[in-house]
Amino acid sequence: MLYEGQDLLKLSYKEMRAIRGNEIAMIFQEPMTSLNPVFTIGMQIIETLRTHNPEMTKQEAFDRAVLRLSQVKIPDAEKRMKDYPHQFSGGMRQRVMIAMALCCNPKLLIADEPTTALDVTTQAQILNLMLELRERREGGSIILITHDLAVVAETCQRVIVMYGGKIQEVGNVDQIFYEPRHPYTQGLLESLPSTQEAKKRLHTIPGNVPFIMDLPTGCKFCTRCDQVMDRCHNEEPPLHQLKSGQLVRCHLAEEDSTGFADAPAMTNVTPP
């Protein structure tokens, strides 16, 4: 696991502690269980700030925490610093988690469905805030993990489509949305409702997602693919590098392949 050429798995606990929250921060998907129930919201944010900025005074950390809470649209932010997690709704806890992840202005932000519990208006504001704070740090990047293709289209530049724990397709936003090459990506996009074809029956991907401990021997998508071939059931396709620059894990991509590719290094992901 490489970050700026450094193998994170070889670092000590103390070395990783200096990176977590400061260099790399994460917004977890489930806000109801991600906050410590016995400490106030303010104490948890201030602890993060002062751990990575020991020269920062308590008042400076308090002011920074209030600012971050205000930026994620927490009303009466200064007053709510004294509240405990159970005094916040699920959506408000999600905003606190986002504020905590952004408080140290990390270089890499990993966001796992960061706006699931938020309404559409607040979702747009939070995404804009994340992108704005990223731009303030040189070389800053965001890895956004989401099922919301609309969010992907609006905020990302490079997209990795996964299925069955495997990378199935990689490309820029235009390639993924307008020229998808993997049958799974094509199925996902065809299943989206369209205002231009309101009366058209929605496409569905047949079958069910296979159990992760009992995946097919060959292609992980072969049991649901409408373009499946005999070899797909026994031979897992490699990740093909196409002339367009896309990476596709599908036997159908062989004729356009320029060679095989390793899984893309996240260090090379263009920031959104």
Side-chain angles (χ1 to χ4, degrees):
M1 186 183 297
L2 300 178
Y3 170 71
E4 294 190 333
Q6 187 176 35
D7 189 346
L8 297 181
L9 299 181
K10 294 182 179 179
L11 299 183
S12 65
Y13 174 80
K14 184 177 181 180
E15 290 171 327
M16 275 304 303
R17 185 176 171 85
I19 291 177
R20 290 194 188 104
N22 188 36
E23 288 288 317
I24 303 175
M26 181 163 185
I27 303 172
F28 292 95
Q29 183 175 1
E30 182 46 72
M32 305 303 284
T33 57
S34 297
L35 294 167
N36 193 320
V38 300
F39 293 108
T40 64
I41 294 298
M43 182 178 293
Q44 294 184 59
I45 301 178
I46 289 173
E47 178 188 33
T48 301
L49 284 166
R50 299 198 71 201
T51 296
H52 297 295
N53 301 277
E55 75 287 350
M56 183 178 285
T57 66
K58 287 185 178 180
Q59 186 60 48
E60 289 173 337
F62 181 88
D63 293 340
R64 174 81 69 84
V66 171
L67 173 63
R68 287 290 185 255
L69 289 178
S70 299
Q71 288 177 326
V72 296
K73 309 303 178 184
I74 298 285
D76 297 323
E78 185 170 349
K79 180 180 179 182
R80 305 228 59 184
M81 287 278 287
K82 300 177 182 178
D83 290 343
Y84 289 85
H86 73 271
Q87 295 173 278
F88 288 75
S89 66
M92 296 294 273
R93 288 193 214 184
Q94 183 72 317
R95 299 187 201 193
V96 172
M97 287 298 302
I98 293 170
M100 189 178 298
L102 297 176
C103 66
C104 291
N105 194 17
K107 194 167 187 179
L108 175 61
L109 177 64
I110 304 173
D112 185 2
E113 299 281 8
T115 57
T116 301
L118 307 179
D119 60 81
V120 177
T121 302
T122 305
Q123 172 180 282
Q125 294 171 339
I126 295 299
L127 289 172
N128 287 335
L129 173 63
M130 289 166 53
L131 295 176
E132 178 186 334
L133 292 177
R134 178 195 59 77
E135 291 173 357
R136 294 181 185 177
R137 180 150 185 175
E138 184 179 355
S141 300
I142 297 175
I143 297 177
L144 181 64
I145 305 167
T146 182
H147 292 90
D148 193 331
L149 295 179
V151 170
V152 172
E154 290 187 19
T155 62
C156 300
Q157 290 183 336
R158 191 163 184 248
V159 184
I160 296 177
V161 180
M162 298 189 69
Y163 182 88
K166 292 274 189 176
I167 292 173
Q168 304 297 340
E169 184 166 4
V170 183
N172 61 43
V173 170
D174 287 341
Q175 290 171 333
I176 295 297
F177 280 87
Y178 297 109
E179 299 176 6
R181 297 297 303 273
H182 196 283
Y184 175 57
T185 310
Q186 294 168 358
L188 283 180
L189 295 173
E190 289 174 3
S191 67
L192 295 176
S194 171
T195 55
Q196 297 176 346
E197 301 177 356
K199 296 182 180 180
K200 181 182 177 182
R201 187 177 180 86
L202 283 179
H203 172 80
T204 58
I205 299 176
N208 298 307
V209 178
F211 181 46
I212 196 68
M213 300 300 291
D214 187 27
L215 292 171
T217 303
C219 174
K220 307 312 175 195
F221 189 59
C222 68
T223 57
R224 307 178 69 192
C225 182
D226 56 7
Q227 303 177 57
V228 66
M229 301 179 290
D230 290 339
R231 65 185 295 197
C232 299
H233 294 284
N234 304 308
E235 182 184 341
E236 182 171 13
L239 204 56
H240 291 283
Q241 175 85 53
L242 306 188
K243 299 173 185 176
S244 63
Q246 286 166 268
L247 304 180
V248 182
R249 191 183 298 279
C250 182
H251 293 304
L252 295 172
E254 277 186 339
E255 58 184 35
D256 294 330
S257 176
T258 60
F260 300 147
D262 295 325
M266 299 311 294
T267 49
N268 295 329
V269 174
T270 304

